[in-house]
Amino acid sequence: MTNSNRILVVDDEPPIRKLLRVGLASQGYAVSEAPNAKAAIELMVQEKPDLVLLDLGLPGMSGHELLRKWRDDGFDMPVVILSSRTDEAGIVDALELGADDYITKPFGMNELVARIRVALRHRFQQQGERPVFQTGDLSVDLVKRIVKVEGKEVKLSPKEYDILRILVQYAGKVLTHQFLLKQVWNDSTDVQYLRVYVRQLRQKIEKTPDQPRYITTETGVGYRLREVE
């Protein structure tokens, strides 16, 4: 992946758009801007950006509605939500509609660029699963279903492995509680079941389960498998 990717910034606040234009340009990204949904829809067709930074609080058509339209129209580019909202429901709704990640205002440019890189990398990797996933001391062989920590095999229950497998397949991306429940249990099982299994999983793969290095909690939203150096 190179930094020649084009990013569409959809935000109605001129200072935010300027901040993003300058900051992302300094990282080598080409940036287009839209102050509302109408302009964003036109630019999507004209430029087909590699990634979208989308504010949820747009005038007229909301960010949720715009995201739903794009996904319905078949646009599958990564979308990172920019939101000044602290309500978890709005973020969860956006992720369920097909957003790849989110970051709340105010945000640091370094953190945002890191989220952008993860979203772009994950989208490029979707064409083929890596048979062996490696991050830090954690290794997951998706073919042989073997999990190792520091080279030693770790025995997981079927549900624990299923949760880890899904997290590995979407490494770096925040996954909502409901998404994980549907993938692992095929229904809307009580989220407490998920929390119990994640806690058990952390006990087996994390050096310090109470301060997890790999499986991090997105409060009120879900979980993310971090790819560490």
Side-chain angles (χ1 to χ4, degrees):
M1 184 188 76
T2 65
N3 272 11
S4 60
N5 299 100
R6 175 165 292 280
I7 295 177
L8 173 59
V9 175
V10 187
D11 196 299
D12 64 328
E13 299 181 57
I16 295 292
R17 294 202 306 274
K18 180 179 180 181
L19 171 69
L20 292 170
R21 180 175 69 249
V22 173
L24 294 174
S26 72
Q27 297 292 319
Y29 292 103
V31 181
S32 299
E33 303 172 43
N36 53 49
K38 183 176 183 296
I41 290 169
E42 293 173 355
L43 285 171
M44 177 60 65
V45 174
Q46 294 170 6
E47 300 186 351
K48 295 181 173 60
D50 299 293
L51 180 141
V52 176
L53 297 178
L54 176 62
D55 180 31
L56 291 179
L58 296 174
M61 180 186 287
S62 72
H64 289 101
E65 293 172 303
L66 178 58
L67 178 56
R68 180 183 289 109
K69 173 177 171 52
W70 277 336
R71 293 311 192 213
D72 288 346
D73 289 345
F75 291 105
D76 65 350
M77 69 288 152
V79 174
V80 176
I81 296 299
L82 298 175
S83 179
S84 56
R85 302 180 183 184
T86 55
D87 67 299
E88 296 155 357
I91 293 169
V92 170
D93 287 346
L95 292 167
E96 296 288 357
L97 284 169
D100 292 67
D101 207 340
Y102 73 95
I103 190 166
T104 53
K105 302 173 186 176
F107 50 81
M109 187 56 64
N110 288 342
E111 182 183 4
L112 176 60
V113 169
R115 298 286 177 90
I116 288 171
R117 287 174 178 161
V118 168
L120 286 169
R121 184 169 70 246
H122 178 255
R123 191 55 58 104
F124 292 147
Q125 289 171 348
Q126 279 186 330
Q127 294 177 348
E129 261 182 34
R130 288 170 286 180
V132 179
F133 173 86
Q134 178 80 45
T135 182
D137 296 324
L138 174 65
S139 171
V140 182
D141 189 321
L142 294 168
V143 176
K144 298 179 181 179
R145 297 172 66 94
I146 295 174
V147 178
K148 293 182 179 181
V149 176
E150 295 182 332
K152 298 179 181 178
E153 186 171 349
V154 177
K155 295 296 184 183
L156 302 181
S157 72
K159 290 298 185 193
E160 290 167 354
Y161 178 80
D162 285 344
I163 292 169
L164 183 59
R165 174 179 58 81
I166 298 299
L167 287 166
V168 163
Q169 289 172 340
Y170 293 91
K173 179 177 179 179
V174 58
L175 303 180
T176 66
H177 296 128
Q178 289 304 315
F179 178 84
L180 285 165
L181 288 170
K182 185 175 181 181
Q183 293 292 315
V184 177
W185 280 274
N186 295 314
D187 59 25
S188 297
T189 303
D190 190 328
V191 72
Q192 190 58 33
Y193 285 103
L194 177 61
R195 293 193 178 106
V196 168
Y197 278 102
V198 169
R199 184 162 60 246
Q200 292 173 180
L201 185 54
R202 282 172 170 161
Q203 293 288 339
K204 294 181 179 181
I205 69 170
E206 302 277 6
K207 283 186 177 179
T208 310
D210 292 339
Q211 296 177 307
R213 184 185 186 199
Y214 302 117
I215 302 176
T216 60
T217 298
E218 299 286 328
T219 304
V221 177
Y223 298 99
R224 183 198 307 265
L225 181 67
R226 291 183 59 240
E227 296 191 69
V228 300
E229 297 299 327

